């Protein structure tokens, strides 16, 4: 890319699960767990990131992700501010590049980016000196969602290695599915992706999963991970109707066996991809996932700022 | 019709290993050019340079009229000269579209004042390239159109395509086609394959090209009209072209340097300079394109030089426009990646960059013989150079080769008897 700054020392970002190794995932999950324990024990606020600034730059609507990043930064005593595209200069046509450069002028330590286009967080990381955390880019990656899902699975089932996970639904349009499949492969779990042929992209096996178009494939899974079915997909005839989708792939009580847990990244379409009786049952880990989101995002902010590569660590100590 | 700025022809001599496979020449010669015409060819001692017929690029976007910030006739033809080209054909997808004699006539006049290298202008097949009504092809031909194309867009309607094939017979110009079925490519930003699936980029399947290639070859065969297929990318398209040629269809095809060198893997960088239409495809597709080029099924290398303003490419991948520049790097890129590793012979590459495209578009074939207008390129095959933004004569720098070190360099270009580039 053109006209970039002189190369800065390497900084830790969290742009994609593909950049992580197994050890990184385990360290992040362990950090999240100890943060959860200390939040239980002590006050709700830790002084760890006092004096640091975390900026949330959100170009897409979001409830739980934005809320949990804001709260995570506050629980770690960081200063935080959130910028949404609506009502900002983005509305006036400002490019991502100019917005990033403007924010960079305030010297934020971390920029959390959500954007409808793949690669937007990478662009921000090249344009600024901040540590960048991807909070969802296009249909590409949503790495903190994958990490919080692993955290919730591990807390509930006690392990990740060897776990059987079925990811059900619209994989084609899902950054959650891409990140999760990669993350599960990293920690030694086995994943089958289940959905209609029109919504499972050709070549997805390369991420480390198998593919089935039969809902029966979920029977052997320890975890049934249900993806949101977006109504706007009807216009493009990916499926003929939500009714038929629900009949073929909806997660109903009859399709969930004893001992299975059911997860969903939210927001749920009750009665479409997930039967309300399943969503409200003891098998559902949905609220566990939301709670995990807070501690995992705290761990991510802590990790990118403190567990730096050697060169960056030297720079932090000097500065 | 090719036009260039008026100027005196040059007199000069070039010495080197002269490679003109079409004329069966491969020996060390001194070529004397007098007033723009080759006046003597004599044996000489061995020297380091290769002298070949200069290149012809049948697919260039000059962005005039409308986007002179990205390229002008002057800058684009200077880039062509630096790339070893003695003739280029410019695409009509400008603002406004080259769909009337008025716009075309103005371009031809402008080229007489600015074009360093002889330039031809293709005119649109349909008015406004909207795919609804044919342009006034006879008048456009009389005004100097080099061929007809809606490049940048497909001719969606099979009915209009058939009419265009039929009606264009009132001229002696051929149709050059951008084959893309929009209902298959919509929302697509990268080849439908492993990389797009992994990264979640909107998929642009091979069939979006190949079903249109098959349709148009079928129509051309039925109408017995010639047809040129632009920027082929998919192996299914090459197979369809092979099949059509075997059954007597008068079809030709071109391929770009980036489709010959890169695959979809390059898109992992999310660098907007790896985003083109058609997209970079799989290793098997690239192999089919290389095989097609060697066999001659694909008879032309075309750069599809597509300049874009920096701020338009300085955005996330999916928001970036399609297209990359290529005029100044085509020979070196293909020499480095295809000839040096022994994938394509130097003779074949030189033929597909010169006589091949000249024949398709009925342009004067650059020849090395006494009495011919001098259209020559001198190449230093051992020279290594690094592609940098400030090294371009083009006004745009959206090259897929930025930062790469290439082997093989154009050191002199003679176009229609004039020395237009000297390194």
């Amino acid at each position: 890319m053109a006209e970039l700054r002189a190369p800065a020392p390497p900084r830790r970002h969290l742009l994609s699960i593909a950049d992580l190794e197994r050890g990184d995932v385990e360290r992040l999950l362990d950090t999240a767990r100890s943060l959860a324990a200390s939040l239980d024990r002590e006050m709700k606020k830790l002084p760890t990131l006092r004096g640091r600034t975390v900026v949330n730059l959100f170009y897409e609507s979001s409830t739980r992700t934005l809320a949990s990043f804001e709260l995570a930064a506050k629980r770690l005593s960081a200063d935080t501010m959130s910028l949404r595209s609506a009502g900002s200069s983005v509305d006036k046509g400002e490019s991502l590049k100019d917005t990033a450069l403007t924010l960079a002028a305030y010297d934020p330590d971390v920029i959390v980016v959500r954007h409808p286009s793949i690669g937007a967080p990478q662009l921000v990381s090249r344009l600024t000196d901040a540590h960048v955390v991807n909070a969802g880019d296009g249909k590409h990656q949503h790495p903190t969602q994958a990490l919080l899902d692993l955290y919730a699975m591990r807390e509930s089932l006690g392990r990740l290695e060897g776990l059987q996970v079925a990811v059900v639904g619209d994989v084609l349009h899902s950054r959650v599915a891409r990140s999760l499949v990669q993350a599960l492969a990293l920690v030694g779990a086995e994943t089958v992706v289940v959905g209609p042929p029109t919504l499972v992209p050709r070549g997805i096996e390369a991420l480390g999963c198998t593919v089935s178009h039969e809902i029966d494939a979920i029977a052997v899974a320890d975890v049934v991970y249900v993806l949101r079915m977006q109504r706007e997909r009807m216009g493009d005839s990916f499926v003929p109707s939500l009714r038929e989708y629900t009949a073929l792939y909806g997660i109903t009580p009859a399709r969930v066996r004893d001992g299975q847990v059911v997860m969903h990244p939210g927001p749920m379409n009750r009665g479409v991809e997930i039967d309300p009786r399943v969503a409200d049952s003891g098998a559902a880990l949905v609220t566990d996932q939301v709670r995990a989101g807070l501690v995992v995002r705290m761990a991510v902010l802590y990790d990118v700022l403190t567990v730096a590569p050697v060169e960056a660590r030297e720079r932090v100590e000097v500065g | 019709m090719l036009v260039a700025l008026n100027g005196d022809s040059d007199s000069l001599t070039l010495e080197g290993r002269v490679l003109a496979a079409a004329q069966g020449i491969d020996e060390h010669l001194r070529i004397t050019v007098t007033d723009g015409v080759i006046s003597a060819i004599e044996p000489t001692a061995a020297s380091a340079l290769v002298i070949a017929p200069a290149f012809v690029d049948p697919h260039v976007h000059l962005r005039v009229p409308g986007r002179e910030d990205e390229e002008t006739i002057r800058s684009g033809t200077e880039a062509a000269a630096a790339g070893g080209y003695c003739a280029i054909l410019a695409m009509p997808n400008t603002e406004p579209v080259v769909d009337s004699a008025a716009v075309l006539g103005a371009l031809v006049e402008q080229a007489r004042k600015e074009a360093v290298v002889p330039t031809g202008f293709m005119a649109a097949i349909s008015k406004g390239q909207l795919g609804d009504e044919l342009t006034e092809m006879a008048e456009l031909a009389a005004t100097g159109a080099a061929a007809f194309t809606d490049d940048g867009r497909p001719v969606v309607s099979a009915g209009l395509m058939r009419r265009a094939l039929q009606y264009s017979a009132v001229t002696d110009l051929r149709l050059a086609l951008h084959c893309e079925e929009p209902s298959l490519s919509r929302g697509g930003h990268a080849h439908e394959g492993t990389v797009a699936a992994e990264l979640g980029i909107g998929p642009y399947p091979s069939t979006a090209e190949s079903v249109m290639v098959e349709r148009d070859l079928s129509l051309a065969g039925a109408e017995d009209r010639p047809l040129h297929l632009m920027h082929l990318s998919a192996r299914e398209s090459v197979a369809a072209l092979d099949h059509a040629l075997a059954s007597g269809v008068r079809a030709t095809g071109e391929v770009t340097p980036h489709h010959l060198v890169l695959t979809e893997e390059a898109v992992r960088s999310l660098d907007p300079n790896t985003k083109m239409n058609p997209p970079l495809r799989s290793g098997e597709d690239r192999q089919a394109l290389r095989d097609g080029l060697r066999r001659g099924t694909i008879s032309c290398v075309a750069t599809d030089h597509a300049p874009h303003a920096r701020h338009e490419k300085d955005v996330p991948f999916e928001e970036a426009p399609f297209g990359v520049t290529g005029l100044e790097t085509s020979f070196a890129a293909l020499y480095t990646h295809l000839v040096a590793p022994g994938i394509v012979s130097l003779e074949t590459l030189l033929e597909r960059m010169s006589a091949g495209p000249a024949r398709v578009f009925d342009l004067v074939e650059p020849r090395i013989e006494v009495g011919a207008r001098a259209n020559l390129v001198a190449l230093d095959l051992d020279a290594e150079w690094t592609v940098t933004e400030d090294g371009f004569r083009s006004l745009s720098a959206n090259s897929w080769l930025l930062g790469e070190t290439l082997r093989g360099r154009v050191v002199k270009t003679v176009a229609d008897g004039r020395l237009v580039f000297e390194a």
Side-chain angles (χ1 to χ4, degrees):
Chain A
M1 293 294 305
E3 206 187 26
L4 302 178
R5 304 167 162 236
R11 285 155 286 148
R12 284 191 76 81
H13 302 297
L14 180 59
L15 301 176
S16 168
I17 294 291
D19 301 333
L20 301 181
E21 292 173 6
R22 183 173 186 153
D24 296 318
V25 173
E26 284 166 356
R27 185 185 65 248
L28 282 161
L29 298 186
D30 291 344
T31 305
R33 176 177 253 181
S34 57
L35 286 168
S38 57
L39 282 179
D40 282 347
R41 259 199 323 272
E42 303 159 23
M43 300 183 299
K44 287 221 185 289
K45 201 156 177 161
L46 304 172
T48 320
L49 298 185
R50 185 172 291 152
R52 306 287 200 144
T53 305
V54 176
V55 174
N56 299 305
L57 179 58
F58 274 57
Y59 283 80
E60 276 184 346
S61 60
S62 161
T63 306
R64 64 205 74 209
T65 305
L66 179 56
S68 74
F69 266 113
E70 281 183 353
L71 195 54
K74 288 186 169 122
R75 290 275 165 92
L76 292 169
S77 304
D79 296 319
T80 182
M81 67 171 185
S82 296
L83 195 78
R84 297 168 186 259
S85 51
S88 73
S89 52
V90 174
D91 263 357
K92 299 172 187 164
E94 187 173 63
S95 70
L96 175 62
K97 176 176 173 171
D98 288 328
T99 305
L101 292 174
T102 301
L103 288 178
Y106 302 127
D107 281 332
D109 297 284
V110 181
I111 302 179
V112 179
V113 184
R114 166 167 289 194
H115 197 279
S117 291
I118 174 172
Q122 279 83 350
L123 189 65
V124 173
S125 75
R126 288 197 297 261
L127 291 165
T128 72
D129 288 335
H131 303 260
V132 175
V133 175
N134 182 357
D137 62 327
K139 298 166 187 65
H140 178 212
Q141 281 276 323
H142 192 355
T144 59
Q145 177 74 44
L147 292 168
L148 75 86
D149 289 333
L150 293 192
Y151 182 87
M153 285 180 207
R154 195 174 76 168
E155 293 302 302
S156 167
L157 299 164
R159 67 191 169 105
L160 292 172
E161 174 94 45
L163 216 55
Q164 307 261 341
V165 181
V167 177
V168 185
D170 179 2
V171 178
L172 180 64
H173 299 99
S174 176
R175 56 190 174 211
V176 171
R178 286 189 175 80
S179 316
L180 181 60
V181 169
Q182 268 181 328
L184 287 166
L186 211 51
V187 296
E190 285 175 30
T191 309
V192 59
V193 155
V194 183
T198 45
L199 290 175
V200 177
R202 220 186 275 179
I204 193 74
E205 294 90 341
L207 288 182
C209 59
T210 56
V211 171
S212 173
H213 304 307
E214 310 279 341
I215 192 66
D216 299 346
I218 72 171
V220 296
D222 302 301
V223 179
V224 178
Y225 194 99
V226 191
L227 298 170
R228 178 178 161 75
M229 184 64 197
Q230 290 172 297
R231 280 168 200 282
E232 48 268 39
R233 302 302 168 216
M234 295 311 110
D236 284 331
S237 277
F238 283 103
V239 292
S241 67
L242 286 182
R243 183 171 163 271
E244 178 147 316
Y245 176 82
T246 304
L248 287 180
Y249 298 102
I251 303 303
T252 57
R255 285 175 173 157
V256 180
R257 66 167 171 76
D258 282 350
Q260 276 183 326
V261 299
V262 177
M263 299 175 70
H264 192 298
M268 288 189 281
N269 290 310
R270 287 167 180 261
V272 181
E273 72 270 5
I274 188 165
D275 188 296
R277 288 168 293 174
V278 175
D280 296 331
S281 74
L285 294 187
V286 179
T287 49
D288 301 61
Q289 288 173 269
V290 176
R291 267 195 300 275
L294 176 62
V295 289
V296 164
R297 286 173 180 130
M298 288 171 73
V300 166
L301 293 175
Y302 173 80
D303 197 80
V304 294
L305 281 172
T306 58
V307 187
V310 176
E311 300 90 322
R313 194 175 295 143
E314 284 167 358
R315 175 169 163 264
V316 169
E317 281 164 6
V318 171
Chain B
M1 183 174 80
L2 299 177
V3 285
L5 52 79
N6 295 316
D8 294 333
S9 296
D10 287 324
S11 297
L12 67 152
T13 58
L14 290 173
E15 278 187 19
R17 176 186 166 204
V18 176
L19 257 182
Q23 295 130 264
I25 305 175
D26 181 1
E27 52 194 306
H28 288 272
L29 298 171
R30 177 189 299 118
I31 300 172
T32 306
V33 176
T34 309
D35 293 334
V37 175
I38 297 176
S39 57
I41 303 177
E42 313 148 286
T44 184
S47 73
L49 296 182
V50 162
I51 315 291
F55 307 142
V56 175
D57 192 343
H59 196 145
V60 174
H61 294 272
L62 287 180
R63 303 295 189 218
V64 180
R67 286 307 301 269
E68 290 81 357
D69 60 314
E70 295 181 330
E71 201 76 282
T72 63
I73 295 177
R74 167 76 71 176
S75 67
T77 54
E78 281 177 350
Y85 289 91
C86 66
I88 61 170
L89 298 181
M91 296 299 116
N93 61 334
T94 47
E95 301 164 24
V97 169
V98 184
D99 61 357
S100 68
V103 177
L104 178 60
L107 269 179
V108 169
E109 277 317 299
Q110 202 174 339
R112 284 192 211 288
K113 299 189 192 100
E114 285 187 42
V116 177
V117 163
T119 300
F121 295 93
M122 290 198 198
I125 292 170
S126 68
K127 288 180 185 155
Q129 295 190 312
L130 297 174
D132 299 323
E133 300 170 69
L134 294 184
T135 54
E136 293 170 323
M137 290 182 168
E139 189 180 17
L140 286 162
T143 313
F148 296 106
T149 183
D150 273 0
D151 182 53
R153 292 176 169 211
V155 177
V156 177
S157 155
L160 190 78
M161 188 68 240
R162 178 163 172 262
R163 291 275 182 263
L165 284 162
Q166 293 170 333
Y167 187 77
S168 59
V170 305
T171 74
D172 47 14
L173 302 177
R174 77 169 53 196
L175 304 184
L177 300 181
H178 168 119
C179 291
E180 174 183 350
E181 168 51 55
S183 66
L184 293 174
S185 63
R186 190 178 42 181
H189 298 272
H191 173 59
E192 180 178 80
T194 312
V195 175
E198 283 186 44
L199 298 183
I201 303 176
Y204 184 139
S206 291
T207 47
E209 176 180 281
S210 64
V211 300
M212 215 55 151
V213 164
E214 285 162 18
R215 183 199 81 176
D216 291 340
L217 288 170
S218 175
L219 289 170
E223 301 302 330
D224 191 23
R225 289 285 298 146
L227 190 66
H228 179 68
L229 302 170
M230 306 174 102
H231 48 51
L232 293 172
S233 68
R235 59 186 185 275
E236 294 84 354
S237 304
V238 182
L241 177 55
D242 271 322
H243 182 74
L245 289 170
S247 52
V249 178
R250 289 183 284 155
T252 51
E254 69 183 34
V255 62
T256 69
H258 45 272
H259 288 104
L260 286 168
V261 173
L262 300 177
T263 68
E264 58 181 333
E265 289 297 325
V267 170
R268 284 190 196 279
S269 66
L270 297 180
D271 177 353
N273 290 332
T274 62
K275 182 175 176 183
M276 308 85 174
N277 184 10
L280 299 171
R281 298 203 185 273
S282 71
E284 292 83 38
D285 293 300
R286 181 178 67 176
Q287 188 59 47
L289 295 170
R290 291 172 170 185
D291 291 344
L293 188 72
R294 271 195 301 254
R295 278 200 305 279
T297 301
I298 298 173
S299 58
C300 318
V301 169
T303 63
D304 196 0
H305 177 83
H308 285 292
R310 170 172 301 165
H311 66 271
E312 291 180 357
K313 279 282 195 183
D314 232 358
V315 295
F317 188 85
E318 287 169 313
E319 292 172 23
F322 293 100
V324 290
T325 57
L327 280 169
E328 294 169 75
T329 51
S330 52
F331 175 76
L334 294 171
Y335 183 76
T336 304
H337 291 285
L338 295 188
V339 177
I343 296 164
V344 170
S345 72
L346 180 59
E347 289 79 0
T348 299
L349 177 62
L350 294 173
E351 201 276 341
R352 305 289 188 263
M353 291 185 72
S354 181
R359 269 198 299 275
V360 169
F361 290 99
D362 286 327
L363 307 175
V364 175
E365 196 178 310
R367 294 176 67 84
I368 298 184
E369 62 191 11
V370 172
R373 293 290 294 176
N375 286 294
L376 301 165
V377 61
L379 305 162
D380 181 348
L381 300 185
D382 297 322
E384 291 203 347
W385 59 290
T386 300
V387 182
T388 58
E389 273 191 51
D390 50 13
F392 292 122
R393 282 146 191 88
S394 169
L395 294 183
S396 295
N398 53 304
S399 166
W400 53 280
L401 289 155
L402 285 177
E404 201 179 313
T405 297
L406 299 176
R407 255 185 79 194
R409 178 150 217 179
V410 174
V411 294
K412 270 183 194 162
T413 308
V414 180
D416 194 27
R418 301 179 59 232
L419 180 65
V420 293
F421 174 74
E422 192 165 14

